[in-house]
Amino acid sequence: MSERKISVASRRSSIQGDGPPGVVLQTGMSSQDDTESGTYSSVRMARPSMANIAAFRKFSRKTSVAGFGRPILKIKPKLENTYKMAPDTNIRFNSTRVEKMLDDILNSMLDDKRYDPKTASSLAASIAETAKHRSKLMGFERHKFVTHVAIGNIYDQGASITSRCLWDSRNDNFASAYYRNASLYAVATVYAIYFE
């Protein structure tokens, strides 16, 4: 196992040190080139505040029960952004799969329903939540989902539902499904917006 010292960021910009002595990060990789081997080349850790240190010391004095050692103060490293500007090909939003999922949801939740203006809004909200939850389970990482469901009554009239979005046409996408029975219609849309 190789050992590396962690540089701890100071509160004052004029102090740049290696941090307290004895702070060591152990990695299980060999000390080859950092970019190829996957070892941590620079890990920035926040220095604990004085209140945290005082609380830690107070807590450690109170733990004198046999069998319990002193608690370990762990500091999570801050990870840097990856600056990925496009999704990987295996996790790109697949509108065909999502449209099939939306069809299944609409068919199962609206199969025997009649239009009721009192329950239509809560039914649309539950369909939207179900669609958003199942879209997240499909494994499209780094995507934010917006779901929109419209339910209306059929009175031999025409209806047009449109939407406008400001997005990146290469990475963002949407899927939409339509359902109709004797008394109601429903249009469900899931928008997938890629984010870094």
Side-chain angles (χ1 to χ4, degrees):
M1 294 179 81
S2 64
E3 294 184 8
R4 292 218 151 126
K5 290 215 178 216
I6 298 175
S7 64
V8 178
S10 173
R11 291 184 187 175
R12 293 184 298 187
S13 61
S14 63
I15 300 175
Q16 296 292 332
D18 289 336
V23 178
V24 174
L25 173 68
Q26 294 184 351
T27 60
M29 306 215 179
S30 62
S31 59
Q32 298 171 356
D33 186 22
D34 291 342
T35 57
E36 294 176 5
S37 66
T39 59
Y40 299 104
S41 59
S42 65
V43 177
R44 304 189 84 191
M45 298 178 67
R47 184 171 287 199
S49 67
M50 294 307 289
N52 288 345
I53 292 173
F56 171 72
R57 287 181 182 156
K58 184 178 179 182
F59 177 74
S60 64
R61 276 188 241 130
K62 289 184 177 182
T63 57
S64 61
V65 179
F68 292 103
R70 294 187 135 201
I72 299 172
L73 181 62
K74 292 184 180 179
I75 302 172
K76 279 190 166 181
K78 291 183 181 178
L79 302 176
E80 294 187 9
N81 293 334
T82 60
Y83 299 106
K84 281 182 108 170
M85 299 307 289
D88 296 332
T89 55
N90 57 346
I91 60 168
R92 190 173 292 271
F93 184 76
N94 187 345
S95 60
T96 308
R97 283 179 52 204
V98 177
E99 284 175 2
K100 289 178 184 175
M101 180 264 304
L102 287 174
D103 283 333
D104 292 342
I105 291 173
L106 291 176
N107 287 328
S108 66
M109 294 183 82
L110 298 175
D111 192 25
D112 297 333
K113 301 283 186 195
R114 296 197 49 79
Y115 182 76
D116 182 13
K118 295 177 183 175
T119 61
S121 63
S122 63
L123 183 61
S126 67
I127 291 172
E129 281 298 315
T130 304
K132 183 172 70 170
H133 178 70
R134 288 185 53 188
S135 297
K136 288 180 180 180
L137 293 178
M138 288 185 155
F140 303 118
E141 296 176 5
R142 296 175 182 251
H143 283 85
K144 290 190 178 188
F145 296 99
V146 177
T147 57
H148 180 263
V149 177
I151 296 177
N153 197 0
I154 295 179
Y155 275 133
D156 291 331
Q157 81 279 11
S160 177
I161 297 175
T162 60
S163 63
R164 296 176 71 178
C165 300
L166 179 64
W167 65 15
D168 182 10
S169 61
R170 291 173 292 165
N171 299 320
D172 303 334
N173 207 345
F174 75 98
S176 185
Y178 174 76
Y179 177 82
R180 179 180 176 158
N181 65 15
S183 68
L184 62 85
Y185 69 89
V187 178
T189 308
V190 174
Y191 302 96
I193 295 94
Y194 180 77
F195 73 102
E196 154 49 35

